[in-house]
Amino acid sequence: MPRPRKSQVSLVDTPYYHCVTRCVSSGVNFGYLKSLPHMLGVVLGIILLQLALAFGLGNIFKLYPVIQDVLKVAGSVYLLYLAWKIINTSRTKVDLDQNQNQKPLTIVDELGMRRYFSC
């Protein structure tokens, strides 16, 4: 008898599940070999974040908690800006050939994503 999906994958116990989801999606859409740079970018980004924390970024936040508050406000403003952009986009018909011109993310693209997603 098949198990329910919620018992197969625990999102609480799986770190960086949204990064894994993006990598799986890229692999399905573009193939394993073309998605390798994306996957390497995820791994490298996670390592860089962990190293930053290990070398004192957490201590900086403890010493100056106002920095964390400023980042929260800046992040909220950025999310509101993105919501405004989404609301004000024109509703045009999607071109079906548009997906054929897409490319998988590269290592540099994925490292850039680290700024926006706390993977």
Side-chain angles (χ1 to χ4, degrees):
M1 184 165 110
R3 294 184 348 201
R5 185 175 297 168
K6 67 179 180 179
S7 69
Q8 292 176 0
V9 176
S10 172
L11 296 181
V12 175
D13 298 329
T14 306
Y16 313 113
Y17 65 90
H18 49 290
C19 296
V20 173
T21 303
R22 285 197 330 258
C23 288
V24 169
S25 174
S26 179
V28 167
N29 290 325
F30 304 110
Y32 177 75
L33 291 177
K34 288 185 179 179
S35 297
L36 274 177
H38 183 184
M39 294 179 214
L40 291 173
V42 167
V43 172
L44 190 59
I46 291 170
I47 290 171
L48 289 175
L49 279 175
Q50 296 299 323
L51 285 174
L53 289 173
F55 287 115
L57 187 61
N59 289 332
I60 291 173
F61 285 138
K62 285 181 184 176
L63 289 174
Y64 306 104
V66 72
I67 294 175
Q68 198 168 9
D69 294 334
V70 169
L71 288 175
K72 286 179 185 179
V73 171
S76 299
V77 169
Y78 182 67
L79 285 175
L80 289 173
Y81 166 75
L82 290 177
W84 179 259
K85 295 288 281 184
I86 290 171
I87 290 170
N88 290 323
T89 56
S90 62
R91 297 177 187 209
T92 59
K93 191 173 182 179
V94 176
D95 185 13
L96 296 177
D97 294 331
Q98 180 182 6
N99 289 338
Q100 294 176 356
N101 297 330
Q102 291 181 347
K103 296 179 184 176
L105 292 175
T106 64
I107 292 175
V108 175
D109 294 336
E110 183 57 36
L111 285 175
M113 298 285 277
R114 291 292 139 246
R115 292 179 291 163
Y116 304 112
F117 300 107
S118 301
C119 292

